[in-house]
Amino acid sequence: MRRAARHARWAVGAVAAVLAACGCGGGARGAGGPDGIISSSWGDPQNPIEPANTNEVQGGKVLDMLFRGLKRYDPETGEARDMLAERIETTDSRNFTITLRPGWSFSNGEPVTARSFTDAWNYGAHIDNKQANAPFFSDIAGYEDVHPASGPARAKTMRGLVVKDDRTFTVALRDTFSTWPETLGYQAFVPLPRVFFTDHDAWLTKPVGNGPYTVESYTRGSSMKLRRWDGYPGGDKPRNGGVDLVVYTDNNSAYTDLISGHLDLLDDVPAQQLRNVKGDLGDRYINQPALIIQTLVFPLYRPEWNRPGMEKVRRGLSMAIDREEITRQIYQGTRTPAKDWTSPALTRDGGYQEVCGDACRYDPAAARRLIEEGGGLPGGRLTLTSNVDTGSHRAWMDAVCNSVNNALRRGAVCTVNPIGTFADFRNQQTQARLTGPFRSGWQADYPLIQNFLEPLYHSGGSSNYGKFRDKDFDGLVDRANRETDQPRAVQDFRATQRILAARMPAIPLWYQNGSAGYSERLFDVTLNQFSVPVYDRIKVR
């Protein structure tokens, strides 16, 4: 979300272990002041750092430091504010003229032009490039020619993108989409320099962007060093010298490094430490609502989970989960039982509504009845899958299975399938290789209800990994996108959630807060509404 759901988390890798042993990391012994370097925990991204191929939070953190797009979401309010866009004009919410601000360049000196955007978007959309975020360009006229549902591409570029001059291009959408400009703060829409296309392998090794930081070095599986770009023209210039992102494979080790002074910033406090964190960190602990939800997705691409009557089984399993008890025992106020498929951080005006109803309430008797009426669990068993390179994932999976087993009274029918790394889990998830319900953590790409629903549940959605299909759902989403009256659009999106409640392609588990801790070296540490640290605002003592 954010970039697909996107939640990898970490713990100490080889580099972090060396740093802890020698005390030579970016922690207490590092330089302070405006040139101070921040050391921050990180998880290895699933894919190389490409804007249109990154839809998980770890790669998204990097893109947010390396790039600026047409719009940027205000870290405090979530409002989509113009960044490189001087104007985005339309008279019909279908045809847009975009004018760029002058004076922007990439860190290699190349000017950012209209072509920097159109080339990037055409690359991201083209089927041959196999970009995970390609569906984000599907609203543009001509997408069907560069990314057909079957067969090879019929064109190299989308006809809806036309460059007028260096600072102006037009975009024609396939249909009316009144809030389309609000989506342009998402990182799939950032511009790309020519070197991305002319020397792609070199760019992947050391990405070049137009944002406030540049890449000094990158060792996959170990660390990335980002440094302030002093030539950055934006108003959000970094207040530090840079960020060292250190890969961890167990966030408990990251927490230990933070407490011992070998790490400056941890942006996902492990569940095992939540009872201790306030005593350990005091006011250096952050716990705030975020645009994040955790769900269990059913693999509807498998016939045993998608046969007639299975919607009752899926609803029954949702009612066999005691969300209140699990969030209270494990998460200590950093999770809230989910009552819909979005997030309360949207607010009710933004579309949040408790539409899941009875399907999200713990009711063992109803759970048993529905599962029996639906024909029972496939094979009489249930296996939950998640990566476990963060301690809380194994903890909640065990807790959910205990709840299901207690509710169903049939012994240990629910078991867990722990996958060691996020990258391995994501590969199995995206390749449709999972045979039972699997975790999906969704961090919104932009603060609109549409982003919680269309990518995950619309046919062909970029993160619809369970392969849910429903014509009525698709029709309501498409109608909401065409609606020029925002309250009416929100009502249509709310109606789609009633379909989700009836069919239960994914079980809402809980809303997730942003939870972070930082060292005494840092101040002015904040998280945005996506729970990502606002790195450029952090200061080093």
Side-chain angles (χ1 to χ4, degrees), residues 63 146 170 219 308 320 332 474:
L63 293 177
V146 302
T170 60
T219 304
Q332 303 291 308
D474 292 351

Side-chain angles (χ1 to χ4, degrees), residues 6 35 49 77-78 177 185 197 201 259 265 290 292 301 311 343 354 380 417 429 440 471 474 479 487 514 541:
R6 301 181 306 199
D35 296 325
I49 306 294
T77 67
F177 189 175
F197 305 99
D201 289 342
I259 298 303
L265 179 58
I292 303 175
Y301 48 82
E311 68 278 356
S343 166
E354 299 172 358
N417 172 35
Q429 180 191 55
S440 176
K471 290 183 179 179
D474 292 351
R479 188 173 76 184
R541 299 185 193 279

Side-chain angles (χ1 to χ4, degrees), residues 179-194:
T179 57
W180 180 76
E182 307 302 300
T183 72
L184 298 178
Y186 181 44
Q187 293 156 352
F189 294 104
V190 299
L192 288 169
R194 294 305 306 157

